[in-house]
Amino acid sequence: MPSSDRPKIAVIGLGSMGFGMATSLRRAGFEVTGCDVSADSVARFVADGGKGAGTPAESAKSADIVVSVVVNAAQTEAILFGQNGVAETLAKDAVFISSATMDPDIARRLAAQLEATGRHYLDAPISGGAQRAAQGELTILASGSPAAFAKARPALDAMAAKLYELGDAPGQGAAFKMINQLLAGVHIAAASEAIAFAARQGLDIRKVYEVITASAGNSWMFENRMPHVLDGDYAPRSAVEIFVKDLGIIQDMARSARFPVPVAAAALQMFLMTSASGMGRDDDASVARMYAKIGGAKLPGETS
């Protein structure tokens, strides 16, 4: 497709995920405008060859596709319908791709509100981390109308290694993502418990890591997060607060459905405890530090 025929894309939210997604779209040959509350993030994207905008409304003005990569439902709603929001300027028949993790009921409400104005809404939470975002190799869990998929397809193809089309109604993608987040949060908490318990037993935790990653007790989260503990490096790739939010959403969903989720509830309490102790903005592997403090274990890089 000639570049002049390609849809124009706006990416709102240039954090670790959004910046990588915007970069992968630009690398695929699209004209991409980036927007973020941080002027420095926008300037970085412009320096990298993209275009910049000061508000969501400005970024959406000439866009055929808007990709929203923010943290939660409240931010998504503000981007859509707040002051200088996308709904002020987005062309009729354009598509809004929502990547935030949120309660499926809220995704359905936002979709209905936007679709009533003649635009399309694709519920499309993402998984894969910042590195895969930058490589255009995300997993995208999407649901929406056939028209929304058709409009969004060029961007989806550029951003995803795996695209799951999960239904023709917004909310399904969000629900699938919450099941993933339930498991991810539980696995991080379990991995943190195990590595801290191993340290308390006086075991060489690097050797523990080697053994477990070759054994049946391994998980993707153990393998991915526990090197942060081994290195004493808690710079946030994914912060503790993300799972305070996501496991909290799961509790709300489960309560509404009258469905028990006791293991997820226990994991939430560990993330809450870690956040309350001052580590909310640190890497989510910090749950291991919380266990170590409670249980008297010594982890690398920790002074007490």
Side-chain angles (χ1 to χ4, degrees), residues 216-227:
N218 191 33
S219 69
W220 192 93
M221 284 299 188
F222 185 96
E223 192 163 339
N224 182 265
R225 297 302 206 268
M226 291 308 99

Side-chain angles (χ1 to χ4, degrees), residues 44-111:
R44 178 184 166 214
F45 184 63
V46 171
D48 200 47
K51 294 187 173 184
T55 66
E58 182 187 345
S59 71
K61 194 174 294 182
S62 60
D64 304 293
I65 301 169
V66 174
V67 184
S68 173
V69 198
V70 294
V71 172
N72 56 31
Q75 290 182 5
T76 304
E77 185 163 15
I79 284 169
L80 277 168
F81 305 114
Q83 186 175 9
N84 293 314
V86 165
E88 293 181 10
T89 58
L90 188 62
K92 301 294 183 184
D93 208 38
V95 63
F96 181 86
I97 302 175
S98 174
S99 296
T101 300
M102 67 179 74
D103 187 308
D105 285 342
I106 298 177
R108 284 187 275 270
R109 175 174 63 79
L110 294 177

Side-chain angles (χ1 to χ4, degrees), residues 7-303:
K8 294 180 179 179
I9 301 175
V11 176
I12 302 174
L14 296 174
S16 58
M17 297 293 287
F19 194 93
M21 292 160 73
T23 300
S24 67
L25 288 164
R26 198 176 57 75
R27 191 171 58 245
F30 295 101
E31 179 183 308
V32 183
T33 300
C35 178
D36 195 273
V37 292
S38 165
D40 289 345
S41 295
V42 176
R44 178 184 166 214
F45 184 63
V46 171
D48 200 47
K51 294 187 173 184
T55 66
E58 182 187 345
S59 71
K61 194 174 294 182
S62 60
D64 304 293
I65 301 169
V66 174
V67 184
S68 173
V69 198
V70 294
V71 172
N72 56 31
Q75 290 182 5
T76 304
E77 185 163 15
I79 284 169
L80 277 168
F81 305 114
Q83 186 175 9
N84 293 314
V86 165
E88 293 181 10
T89 58
L90 188 62
K92 301 294 183 184
D93 208 38
V95 63
F96 181 86
I97 302 175
S98 174
S99 296
T101 300
M102 67 179 74
D103 187 308
D105 285 342
I106 298 177
R108 284 187 275 270
R109 175 174 63 79
L110 294 177
Q113 196 173 342
L114 185 66
E115 289 170 349
T117 70
R119 285 78 162 229
H120 304 287
Y121 184 106
L122 193 72
D123 175 24
I126 54 179
S127 183
Q131 183 175 347
R132 290 185 188 176
Q135 294 168 341
E137 295 178 351
L138 288 170
T139 297
I140 299 182
L141 313 175
S143 65
S145 69
F149 270 109
K151 281 283 182 180
R153 183 79 55 190
L156 298 173
D157 288 346
M159 295 187 295
K162 292 183 179 179
L163 170 64
Y164 290 99
E165 299 185 29
L166 301 171
D168 60 6
Q172 289 296 102
F176 271 84
K177 179 62 186 292
M178 294 320 304
I179 300 303
N180 179 77
Q181 294 307 89
L182 185 159
L183 288 165
V186 166
H187 287 169
I188 292 169
S192 296
E193 183 174 298
I195 205 75
F197 186 48
R200 183 66 175 79
Q201 298 301 306
L203 303 179
D204 177 347
I205 61 172
R206 288 194 175 273
K207 184 61 69 173
V208 169
Y209 179 81
E210 179 185 341
V211 170
I212 295 302
T213 55
S215 303
N218 191 33
S219 69
W220 192 93
M221 284 299 188
F222 185 96
E223 192 163 339
N224 182 265
R225 297 302 206 268
M226 291 308 99
H228 307 172
V229 178
L230 301 182
D231 296 338
D233 177 10
Y234 299 96
R237 289 78 160 180
S238 175
V240 168
E241 289 294 347
I242 295 294
F243 280 98
V244 171
K245 170 181 71 76
D246 291 354
L247 289 171
I249 292 171
I250 288 160
Q251 296 305 305
D252 292 341
M253 292 170 63
R255 184 171 58 250
S256 295
R258 299 297 186 268
F259 188 89
V261 285
V263 179
L268 172 59
Q269 292 305 311
M270 290 312 302
F271 282 100
L272 281 169
M273 202 180 305
T274 306
S275 177
S277 70
M279 294 183 277
R281 295 185 180 276
D282 294 344
D283 191 83
D284 52 29
S286 294
V287 174
R289 289 195 281 174
M290 191 72 249
Y291 271 109
K293 287 181 180 181
I294 295 168
K298 183 70 165 63
L299 295 177
E302 296 299 291
T303 56

